[in-house]
């Protein structure tokens, strides 16, 4: 079994507390993504699970067994690193098979596993090549293949796509999603800065901030019902607009949150009393969408997602109207107090 239970896990480096009591229940076969800003503790938490970092206090259970003092090689875990960590003097076959050789498996079993992994990852034609003769995406597939052949209970991915260009990231993201479907009983934990990766890959997302869990839930749960101002601002691209002052007070909130895609725009005049008047500062024209960066008269800079055929120029006047049922309200402590359903 590959369920993971983390209870009040803490990690300190001397007087510095990096993880401040993490509690998580991860089901077998789930794809879990850790997200959060730099320094929030997501990579440290992953390394504690792998055994590469000692746990200061608390418990880590994998398959019902306490793993705090179990050696990394005995945890049934395989880890894929950001830097690939391939042996430059070994062929693709050698890199994938090396761990199996250290385990003492027979040559026939090793070859069977390597060939199966190569077929799954479309590496069969590259088994005799050295890493220097591979693209970044191919090297990452080799690193994943090296993990697959060990038949682990748990896969750990530490920002595996951050060194790839944009097109390769999309391609590898699809391949990792397919890998998860092909290995339904294997639990996967993935660390990333990229929330597009998080939203598209995860069954559930763990949002970390300053060493604690802000929210743990499905991608759409975090998007639709953020548990704090922090989560609301972190999940979503472009990020949620936040408005304070009189405009927020008018809807019974300390802070009003409006996602760019939940704003209607008019270039011809003020549609309603809740509309914000502003001037276009910059337009990002993406073809299917245009993201208008607007300097409003009473709510600061806001971003609105417009249809791609609407391309206002810098200096143009514009009126932004939040869709009333999609206005998030937060109190002075950054906690949600419900959507706006009627005029306050």
């Amino acid at each position: 079994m590959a369920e993971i239970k983390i209870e009040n896990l803490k990690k300190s480096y001397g007087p510095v507390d990096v993880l401040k009591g993490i509690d998580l229940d991860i089901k077998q076969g789930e794809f879990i993504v850790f997200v959060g800003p730099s320094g929030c503790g997501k990579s440290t938490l992953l390394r504690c699970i792998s055994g590469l970092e000692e746990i200061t206090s608390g418990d880590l259970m994998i398959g019902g067994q306490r793993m705090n003092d179990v050696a990394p090689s005995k945890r049934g875990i395989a880890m894929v690193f950001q830097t690939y960590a391939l042996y430059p003097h070994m062929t693709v076959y050698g890199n994938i098979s090396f761990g199996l050789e250290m385990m003492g498996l027979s040559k026939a079993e090793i070859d069977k596993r390597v060939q199966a992994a190569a077929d799954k990852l479309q590496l069969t034609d590259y088994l005799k090549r050295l890493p220097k003769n591979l693209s970044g995406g191919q090297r990452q597939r080799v690193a994943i293949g090296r993990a697959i052949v060990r038949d682990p209970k748990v896969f750990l991915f530490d920002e595996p796509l951050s060194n790839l260009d944009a097109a390769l990231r999309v391609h590898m993201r699809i391949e990792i999603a397919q890998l998860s479907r092909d290995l339904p009983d294997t639990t996967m934990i993935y660390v990333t800065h990229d929330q597009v990766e998080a939203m598209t890959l995860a069954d559930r997302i763990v949002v970390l901030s300053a060493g604690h869990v802000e929210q743990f839930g499905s991608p759409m749960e975090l998007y639709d019902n953020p548990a704090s101002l922090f989560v609301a601002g972190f999940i979503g691209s472009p990020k949620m607009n936040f408005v304070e002052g009189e405009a927020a007070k008018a809807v019974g909130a300390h802070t009003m949150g409006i996602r760019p895609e939940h704003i209607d725009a008019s270039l011809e005049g003020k549609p309603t009393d809740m509309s914000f008047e502003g001037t276009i500062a910059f337009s990002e024209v993406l073809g299917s969408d245009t993201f208008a960066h607007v300097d409003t008269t009473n709510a600061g800079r806001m971003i609105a997602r417009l249809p791609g055929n609407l391309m206002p120029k810098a200096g143009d006047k514009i009126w932004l109207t939040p869709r009333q049922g999609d206005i998030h309200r937060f109190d002075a402590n950054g906690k949600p107090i419900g959507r706006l359903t009627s005029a306050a």
Side-chain angles (χ1 to χ4, degrees):
M1 299 293 286
E3 70 273 13
I4 298 173
K5 188 175 184 65
I6 298 171
E7 295 180 333
N8 197 29
L9 188 148
K10 297 180 181 179
K11 174 63 182 177
S12 302
Y13 296 101
V16 180
D17 298 327
V18 178
L19 299 176
K20 303 171 183 177
I22 304 294
D23 292 293
L24 293 173
D25 279 312
I26 298 171
K27 301 171 186 174
Q28 178 174 340
E30 277 196 297
F31 197 121
I32 301 298
V33 177
F34 295 167
V35 298
S38 295
C40 70
K42 55 187 183 294
S43 289
T44 300
L45 179 55
L46 195 77
R47 290 172 68 84
C48 285
I49 295 170
S50 72
L52 297 178
E53 294 283 357
E54 288 187 8
I55 295 170
T56 302
S57 64
D59 288 313
L60 167 67
M61 311 287 289
I62 299 178
Q65 180 183 356
R66 188 174 186 270
M67 292 288 175
N68 292 43
D69 302 316
V70 175
S73 62
K74 304 296 183 182
R75 297 189 181 195
I77 283 173
M79 192 161 180
V80 178
F81 297 92
Q82 175 182 352
T83 55
Y84 317 138
L86 302 180
Y87 296 108
H89 63 289
M90 291 185 180
T91 63
V92 169
Y93 188 103
N95 269 281
I96 296 175
S97 67
F98 182 72
L100 301 179
E101 292 171 7
M102 294 298 98
M103 292 166 61
L105 299 185
S106 68
K107 287 186 177 180
E109 179 63 20
I110 290 173
D111 189 66
K112 176 183 175 182
R113 293 194 188 191
V114 172
Q115 295 294 344
D119 181 62
K120 187 184 297 289
L121 296 168
Q122 301 175 31
L123 289 171
T124 302
D125 294 337
Y126 305 97
L127 289 174
K128 295 181 180 180
R129 291 193 186 183
L130 293 172
K132 68 180 181 180
N133 297 320
L134 302 175
S135 69
Q138 289 164 344
R139 292 179 194 178
Q140 193 56 278
R141 290 208 298 273
V142 175
I144 293 171
R146 183 174 56 191
I148 287 175
V149 293
R150 293 180 55 198
D151 193 24
K153 294 184 292 185
V154 179
F155 264 108
L156 304 180
F157 295 90
D158 191 5
E159 301 195 49
L161 308 185
S162 60
N163 287 334
L164 305 180
D165 63 37
L168 266 178
R169 282 202 302 272
V170 172
H171 180 70
M172 284 303 301
R173 192 165 71 230
I174 294 170
E175 291 199 6
I176 290 172
Q178 183 62 53
L179 177 65
S180 179
R181 289 192 292 270
D182 291 343
L183 302 170
D185 295 327
T186 303
T187 304
M188 299 191 179
I189 301 178
Y190 189 104
V191 166
T192 183
H193 281 94
D194 187 333
Q195 61 176 280
V196 173
E197 289 179 21
M199 294 291 288
T200 55
L201 287 173
D203 294 318
R204 291 192 291 167
I205 297 173
V206 179
V207 182
L208 291 159
S209 173
H212 68 270
V213 176
E214 283 278 338
Q215 191 169 359
F216 184 23
S218 70
M220 290 311 299
E221 181 182 345
L222 271 59
Y223 177 84
D224 286 331
N225 299 294
S228 67
L229 200 65
F230 176 86
V231 175
F234 195 83
I235 298 295
S237 182
K239 69 178 185 178
M240 184 181 285
N241 298 290
F242 293 126
V243 178
E244 298 182 347
E246 293 303 318
K249 290 179 183 178
V251 297
H254 180 272
T255 305
M256 176 168 57
I258 314 148
R259 294 201 180 278
E261 55 270 37
H262 295 156
I263 294 174
D264 295 319
S266 169
L267 299 173
E268 299 176 354
K270 184 176 183 178
T272 75
D273 290 340
M274 288 190 66
S275 300
F276 297 99
E277 180 181 349
T279 304
I280 298 291
F282 177 71
S283 290
E284 295 179 273
V285 180
L286 305 179
S288 58
D289 302 298
T290 295
F291 291 110
H293 298 248
V294 180
D295 289 326
T296 66
T297 55
N298 59 345
R301 174 68 63 89
M302 296 180 69
I303 301 176
R305 179 181 179 181
L306 312 180
N309 60 358
L310 193 61
M311 296 177 285
K313 298 179 176 60
D316 286 355
K317 284 288 185 182
I318 192 168
W319 286 262
L320 306 179
T321 306
R323 296 173 194 163
Q324 193 163 288
D326 291 314
I327 294 176
H328 296 259
R329 298 183 299 164
F330 301 90
D331 64 20
N333 296 315
K335 297 301 180 183
I337 52 176
R339 304 277 188 97
L340 181 66
T341 57
S342 61

